[in-house]
């Protein structure tokens, strides 16, 4: 998987050069809109100004494993278990990708 | 924002090949094209409108966004009960538009909309100016159905506050509570469904009881409800018994709670077809509700008094090109709440940007979390994740729900702690 992505990335760079500035506003994905709903409680881009844990800068793998644990009920929470059950495993990976990218 | 992430490059690649070549991705004439030059006008600077303005700019910095809101400062309904309870200042729940202007380049106009022309796609302002739009977003909140209340109208709201739009009304109610004698009765009349913030009246009863317990402990809170049930009812009732004993009494509609008429001068509420009277020292009457005034002016409402929309994009079913979000919209299973409005603002922003670029609209995903405080250190929640399918928004099965019953004080304290964090986060997500 990693190898394939790197290959795509390499050709993507070539595409970027050809496509000029088109990449400034990328197409809105399902991951984007799902991640945006996390920001209500965790702050825009996951930067929480208050007592709710910040997600900003968290690696994707950590976000995925935390959400999977909440979903399975293996990790104690107040509301996160109730939220995490609302997403498929694939959706969790997609929104985690967006949140981790926002923190880079 | 300007630096491409790996994800964005991957997406660009996908868009390029889907459109049949890199040239298409670059020239902006087909899918994932540019929305450059498009003007979106957003009317209403509350949870829905301010969020939508910000996320439109986040999704596409080429879209020009104008936010029209008469007030320079917005006091939120969420946390206004904390102010009534005596543990939050009003200025701490009041927000300005500086960050939207400075950090997101939203053109903020403090004026009142006096008319909308959906055919010419223009909005007229009280100041005389007229704004042209490619897309209009309307987030007008609620208005009251005074005609359904015998004995009260807009002119009595200084004596009999509703405090269901925060600011001066909330201050008036607090002053009346402060002036109330020990041993007095606070009467709260919640509205019938549907209304803004379903758990709100019951949080208010709780935090008024908190204030009275600390300052006027012989007093009573009487809730005369047109309904026979309410949001998070078992949790509230458990919390009331634990914290306030029998200070709070809730009377359901079918058992004498339905109000027949009100005498504003003597603050007397008549129930049971007028046969039973309740004399209040402070009367907080929250009237039945409908969509905000602008929704009616612009012809966006149906016979229900609310605005029918395509629940995927929140575009009006009556006037194409106009999106209605927040309390005024008919949004399937979503409650009318600040959190719902925030979620809808984001989904409408995503839909509008996609439409302007000629992209498919991504299927929306919504969240709502309503935190309520039974006391300053006692929090309860109801949460849900929502999806759009077959024309309407419904809750994802197996997800969401309310806080557990019969848990330790530590759990309630943790939720109260997060309630305060929720407020800081969502208000920074909307206005920050």
């Amino acid at each position: 998987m990693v190898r394939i992505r790197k290959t795509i990335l390499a050709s993507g760079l070539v595409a970027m050069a050809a496509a000029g500035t088109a990449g400034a506003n990328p197409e809105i994905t399902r991951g984007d809109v799902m991640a945006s709903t996390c920001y209500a409680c965790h702050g825009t881009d996951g930067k929480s100004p208050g007592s709710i844990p910040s997600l900003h800068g968290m690696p994707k793998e950590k976000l995925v494993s935390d959400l999977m644990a909440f979903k399975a009920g293996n990790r104690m929470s107040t509301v996160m278990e109730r939220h995490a059950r609302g997403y498929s495993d694939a959706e969790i990976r997609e929104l985690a990708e967006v949140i981790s990218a926002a923190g880079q | 924002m300007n630096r491409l992430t790996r994800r964005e490059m991957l997406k660009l690649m996908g868009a390029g090949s889907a459109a049949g070549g890199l040239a298409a991705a670059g020239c902006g004439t087909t899918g994932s094209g540019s929305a450059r030059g498009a003007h979106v006008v957003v009317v209403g600077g509350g949870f829905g409108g301010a969020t939508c303005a910000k996320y439109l700019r986040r999704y596409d910095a080429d879209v020009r966004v104008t936010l029209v809101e008469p007030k320079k400062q917005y006091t939120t309904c969420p946390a206004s009960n904390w102010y009534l309870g005596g543990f939050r200042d009003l200025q701490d729940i009041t927000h300005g538009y500086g960050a939207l202007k400075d950090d997101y380049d939203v053109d903020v106009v403090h004026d009142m909309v006096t008319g909308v022309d959906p055919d010419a796609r223009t909005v007229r302002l009280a100041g005389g100016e007229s704004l042209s739009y490619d897309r209009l977003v309307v987030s007008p909140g609620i208005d009251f159905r005074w005609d359904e209340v015998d004995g009260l109208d807009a002119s009595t709201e200084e004596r009999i506050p509703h405090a269901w739009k925060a600011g001066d009304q909330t201050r008036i109610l607090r002053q009346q509570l402060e002036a109330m004698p020990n041993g007095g009765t606070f009467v709260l009349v919640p509205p019938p469904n549907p209304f803004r913030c379903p758990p709100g009246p019951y949080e208010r009863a709780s935090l008024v009881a908190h204030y009275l317990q600390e300052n006027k402990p012989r007093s009573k809170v009487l809730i005369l409800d047109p309904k026979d049930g309410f949001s998070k009812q078992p949790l509230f009732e458990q919390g009331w018994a634990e914290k306030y004993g029998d200070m709070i009494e809730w009377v359901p509609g079918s058992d004498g709670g339905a109000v027949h008429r009100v005498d504003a001068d003597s603050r007397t509420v008549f129930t049971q077809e007028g046969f039973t009277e309740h004399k209040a020292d402070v009367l907080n009457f929250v009237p039945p509700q409908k969509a905000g005034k602008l929704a009616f002016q612009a012809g966006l409402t149906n016979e229900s008094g609310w605005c029918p929309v395509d629940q995927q994009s929140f575009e009006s079913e009556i006037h194409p090109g106009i999106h209605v979000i927040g309390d005024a919209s008919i949004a399937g299973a979503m409650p009318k709440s600040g959190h719902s409005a925030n979620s809808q603002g984001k989904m409408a922003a995503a839909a509008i940007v996609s439409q302007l670029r000629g992209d498919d609209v991504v299927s929306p995903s919504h969240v709502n979390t309503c935190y309520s405080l039974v006391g300053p250190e006692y929090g309860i929640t109801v949460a849900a994740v929502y999806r759009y399918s077959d024309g309407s928004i419904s809750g994802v099965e197996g997800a969401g729900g309310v806080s557990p019953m019969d848990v330790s004080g530590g759990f309630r304290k943790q939720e109260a702690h997060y309630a305060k964090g929720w407020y800081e986060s969502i208000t920074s997500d909307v206005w920050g």
Side-chain angles (χ1 to χ4, degrees):
Chain A
M1 187 63 189
V2 171
R3 183 176 300 276
I4 295 166
R5 278 176 175 255
K6 279 188 178 156
T7 313
I8 295 171
L9 181 64
S11 50
L13 283 166
V14 178
M16 278 313 302
T21 58
N25 292 310
E27 194 172 349
I28 298 166
T29 65
R30 186 170 71 159
D32 288 324
V33 299
M34 287 188 303
S36 76
T37 64
C38 306
Y39 300 162
C41 295
H42 291 278
T44 308
D45 291 333
K47 283 183 208 164
S48 170
S51 60
I52 292 183
S54 224
L55 306 177
H56 198 71
M58 250 188 215
K60 180 187 169 185
E61 296 70 28
K62 161 95 175 129
L63 289 163
V64 170
S65 64
D66 284 359
L67 283 164
M68 292 296 193
F70 285 132
K71 186 177 167 179
N74 293 334
R75 183 172 161 171
M76 165 63 199
S77 69
T78 52
V79 295
M80 276 314 299
E81 180 180 331
R82 288 177 261 160
H83 284 300
R85 288 199 307 260
Y87 303 90
S88 70
D89 294 357
E91 287 170 342
I92 284 175
R93 283 191 294 274
E94 286 170 45
L95 67 89
E97 173 95 38
V98 174
I99 295 168
S100 66
Q104 277 162 22
Chain B
M1 186 68 201
N2 293 323
R3 195 167 59 87
L4 274 179
T5 62
R6 191 178 71 167
R7 177 180 67 88
E8 288 166 343
M9 284 188 196
L10 286 169
K11 276 195 301 195
L12 182 74
M13 282 301 297
S17 34
L22 293 168
C27 72
T29 52
T30 62
S32 219
S34 171
R36 191 178 298 276
H39 186 212
V40 181
V41 174
V42 181
V43 184
F47 281 87
T51 301
C52 192
K54 170 172 164 173
Y55 276 78
L56 281 163
R57 294 282 306 159
R58 275 173 57 89
Y59 279 131
D60 197 326
D62 290 338
V63 176
R64 196 156 62 86
V65 178
T66 303
L67 176 66
V68 185
E69 161 61 47
K71 294 191 288 290
K72 294 201 168 153
Q73 300 262 300
Y74 188 94
T75 303
T76 61
C77 283
S80 65
N81 288 330
W82 309 356
Y83 163 74
L84 293 173
F87 54 96
R88 178 67 62 126
D89 289 338
L90 212 48
Q91 65 258 31
D92 293 336
I93 61 166
T94 301
H95 307 273
Y97 296 91
L100 286 178
K101 283 188 226 176
D102 299 339
D103 300 342
Y104 294 94
D105 283 325
V106 172
D107 192 6
V108 181
V109 177
H110 294 296
D111 205 339
M112 191 86 149
V113 171
T114 54
V116 175
D117 184 336
D119 298 321
R121 301 207 166 196
T122 55
V123 168
R124 207 170 48 252
L125 304 181
E129 206 188 335
S130 184
L131 302 171
S132 298
Y133 64 81
D134 295 292
R135 290 269 153 181
L136 177 66
V137 179
V138 175
S139 189
I142 54 155
D143 203 355
F144 300 115
R145 299 175 190 260
W146 289 114
D147 55 331
E148 294 180 9
V149 186
D150 188 354
L152 297 179
D153 57 35
S155 74
T156 57
E157 67 180 29
E158 293 211 355
R159 274 177 297 157
I160 315 291
H162 48 76
W164 222 245
K165 293 180 185 183
D168 289 342
Q169 275 285 298
T170 327
R171 195 181 286 111
I172 291 168
L173 184 56
R174 171 73 191 175
Q175 284 162 353
Q176 292 190 359
L177 278 170
E178 285 170 356
M180 189 176 118
N182 188 6
T185 302
F186 172 84
V187 176
L188 169 62
V189 181
N193 293 322
F195 65 100
R196 162 180 283 181
C197 191
Y202 312 96
E203 182 191 62
R204 177 167 293 175
S206 309
L207 297 182
V208 166
H210 165 75
Y211 165 76
L212 295 174
Q213 190 179 55
E214 290 205 326
N215 297 280
K216 293 153 190 177
R218 290 190 290 108
S219 309
K220 188 175 160 70
V221 173
L222 177 65
I223 308 169
L224 298 173
D225 206 324
K227 305 181 293 297
D228 282 339
F230 57 89
S231 172
K232 293 183 268 193
Q233 185 172 348
L235 287 162
F236 272 114
E237 290 181 334
Q238 185 168 68
W240 291 345
E242 277 176 36
K243 292 194 64 67
Y244 307 115
D246 57 3
M247 185 185 255
I248 301 174
E249 183 189 353
W250 174 70
V251 185
S254 64
D255 197 22
V259 171
H260 182 67
R261 77 184 163 89
V262 179
D263 182 68
D265 291 331
S266 64
R267 290 198 176 94
T268 305
V269 179
F270 296 86
T271 57
Q272 311 272 29
E273 300 301 312
F275 288 112
T276 306
E277 61 175 77
H278 304 274
K279 175 85 180 69
D281 292 280
V282 175
L283 174 56
N284 179 200
F285 194 104
V286 186
Q289 295 166 22
K290 59 185 177 182
K293 201 169 158 191
L294 179 64
F296 285 86
Q297 278 178 345
L300 294 162
T301 53
N302 68 12
E303 67 290 344
S304 72
W306 305 98
C307 303
V309 295
D310 166 5
Q311 293 182 20
Q312 180 166 24
S313 65
F314 283 81
E315 188 167 359
S316 168
E317 285 185 349
I318 299 170
H319 291 306
I322 303 180
H323 299 248
V324 187
I325 57 175
D327 295 343
S329 67
I330 299 170
M334 295 184 81
K336 299 186 185 301
S337 72
H339 198 133
S340 290
N342 168 269
S343 193
Q344 292 160 8
K346 290 167 181 172
M347 297 310 140
I352 289 167
V353 167
S354 298
Q355 288 169 341
L356 290 171
R357 288 177 183 167
D359 290 342
D360 291 336
V361 174
V362 172
S363 190
S365 179
H366 292 279
V367 164
N368 180 65
T369 313
C370 286
Y371 280 93
S372 301
L373 294 182
V374 177
E377 302 295 328
Y378 191 118
I380 56 176
T381 51
V382 57
V385 179
Y386 300 93
R387 292 290 159 76
Y388 169 85
S389 69
D390 299 330
S392 72
I393 297 170
S394 53
V396 175
E397 233 169 281
V402 296
S403 309
M405 290 284 284
D406 307 315
V407 293
S408 70
F411 193 97
R412 304 286 187 232
K413 196 170 176 180
Q414 188 66 22
E415 290 221 288
H417 183 57
Y418 285 150
K420 290 158 197 165
W422 170 86
Y423 186 81
E424 303 309 322
S425 287
I426 197 164
T427 54
S428 77
D429 192 36
V430 178
W431 291 280

